């Protein structure tokens, strides 16, 4: 099973920025990748997803215009990473963030937020945004 290793998160004030990365090997360059988050007492929700080539990206309405997902499939140095750049952070963005690799290649504009379709997960990274 694919192992996904996430960078550390952090704590910022509202309006600040953070960048999360997720590194993997093996097949992640060929499948849909996504970021999810889970706030205390809430269900895990999809934040953003990116197709294998990077040509298509998908975002939750709550983060559109503020978050950017990107990927490097390792063409230059062999490292395969997926990055979530978060700007204009709000207190409601607080939560544990997880990267995930889907079990199939493509991302679907309707199904990408479904956590059950992803079969490999990072260890989780805490993001805290204070007001």
């Amino acid at each position: 099973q694919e192992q996904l290793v996430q960078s550390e998160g952090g704590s910022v004030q509202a309006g600040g920025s953070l960048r999360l990365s997720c590194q993997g090997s093996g097949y992640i360059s060929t499948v849909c990748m996504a970021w999810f988050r889970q706030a205390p007492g809430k269900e895990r929700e999809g934040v953003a997803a990116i197709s294998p080539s990077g040509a298509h990206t998908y975002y939750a309405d709550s983060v559109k215009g503020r978050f950017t997902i990107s990927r490097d499939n390792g063409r230059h140095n062999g490292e395969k990473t997926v990055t979530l750049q978060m700007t204009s952070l709000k207190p409601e963005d607080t939560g544990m963030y997880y990267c995930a690799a889907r079990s199939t290649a493509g991302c679907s504009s309707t199904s990408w937020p479904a956590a059950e379709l992803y079969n490999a997960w990072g260890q989780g990274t805490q993001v805290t945004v204070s007001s």
Side-chain angles (χ1 to χ4, degrees):
Q1 187 174 356
E2 179 68 48
Q3 283 192 321
L4 303 177
V5 180
Q6 297 178 219
S7 61
E8 293 185 358
S11 297
V12 297
Q13 290 190 326
S17 300
L18 281 174
R19 183 183 178 95
L20 304 180
S21 65
C22 172
Q23 186 171 348
S25 59
Y27 71 90
I28 73 163
S29 61
T30 64
V31 297
C32 176
M33 296 291 295
W35 286 92
F36 287 77
R37 68 185 180 190
Q38 188 166 19
K42 294 187 176 181
E43 293 187 355
R44 190 170 298 190
E45 63 171 349
V47 175
I50 186 166
S51 63
S53 68
H56 302 283
T57 55
Y58 308 89
Y59 297 93
D61 288 343
S62 59
V63 306
K64 280 181 181 177
R66 301 188 297 121
F67 290 14
T68 302
I69 188 171
S70 61
R71 69 189 301 160
D72 182 339
N73 286 336
R75 292 181 180 179
H76 300 294
N77 59 10
E79 293 184 356
K80 301 174 184 179
T81 59
V82 178
T83 300
L84 185 68
Q85 179 68 48
M86 305 183 290
T87 63
S88 301
L89 283 160
K90 303 176 181 180
E92 51 264 43
D93 294 319
T94 294
M96 189 69 77
Y97 283 68
Y98 301 88
C99 66
R102 189 157 164 166
S103 56
T104 58
C107 291
S108 161
S109 61
T110 54
S111 68
W112 73 264
E116 63 269 23
L117 298 178
Y118 297 79
N119 64 347
W121 293 83
Q123 79 276 19
T125 298
Q126 179 65 38
V127 171
T128 303
V129 184
S130 58
S131 57

